[in-house]
Amino acid sequence: MSQLISKPLPRILAVLALFAAMLGTTVVTSVVTATEAHADGCYTWSRTLAEGASGEDVRQLQIRVAGYPAYGGHIAADGAFGPATKAAVQRFQSAYGLGADGIAGQATFSKIYALQDDDCTPIHFTYAELDDGCGGSGYDGGPLSEAATRANALQTMWQLEAMRHALGDQALNITSGFRSVPCNNAVGGASNSQHLYGRSADLVGVHSFCTLAKQARYHGFGGILGPGYPGHNDHTHLDIRTSNFWSAPNCGI
């Protein structure tokens, strides 16, 4: 009897081993899938980013944290994850209640995914909102290519999103954004206006013009013009130039 049982035993053990191996593979696959970043309609990060990293994925991150450089600062979207980018990521994380370690991982990317639409604009702003103030003809007709102008507009919107969040997630209304050369001439804009490059937004809203001007200093806006500056008593002008020119005398700026 023992011989009859012992002969098929190797085959039984082999089947059990195969089953165990299959089960193990299934478990491992399930775990790997659960930890992968989910796909996003705009852009999906495939690795954790920390100081010292470089590449297009870093540049995409920098665009989205450009509104968190600290008072008077600016974040370069250069694809190099340096100390300034780390500090901006930490401020972004703190702003949304995440662990502020300056490392962009799953939790940070998930928050970014939740904040952006499929065209990469932040959820509270659109390309149409930042289009020119003369009827909205798109992003052509300026000194730069349409693609470069749209890229500037995208960063402008992400900086506005950071400012909007800091001001209690209340609306920021854009009265003038990108202007083509004919549009800028028609409204009497400066010949070198930042509006021509897609870098500007003129704001009105639930906040006072002075509140907007003061808050903008913390979100990477190099150009801030408001009450007391000629032609700016009925709005606050913001732009993303990287050298600071702030003038809102009635606001103490």
Side-chain angles (χ1 to χ4, degrees), residues 1 70 73 102 106 121 149-150 152 158 161 167 179 189-190 206 210 228 230 235 237 240 246 250 252:
M1 186 71 176
Q106 182 63 40
T121 58
T149 306
R150 284 174 66 90
N152 286 338
W158 277 102
E161 183 71 26
L167 288 171
R179 301 174 191 154
V206 297
C210 286
H235 68 277
H237 165 97
I240 63 170
W246 301 347
N250 295 354

Side-chain angles (χ1 to χ4, degrees), residues 178-220:
F178 166 70
R179 301 174 191 154
S180 62
V181 173
C183 174
N184 191 61
N185 292 340
V187 300
S191 61
N192 63 342
S193 172
Q194 294 293 307
H195 287 279
L196 292 164
Y197 302 92
R199 299 183 185 128
S200 298
D202 291 346
L203 302 180
V204 300
V206 297
H207 306 285
S208 72
F209 301 137
C210 286
T211 294
L212 296 172
K214 290 177 179 178
Q215 187 64 46
R217 298 173 297 178
Y218 296 89
H219 300 290

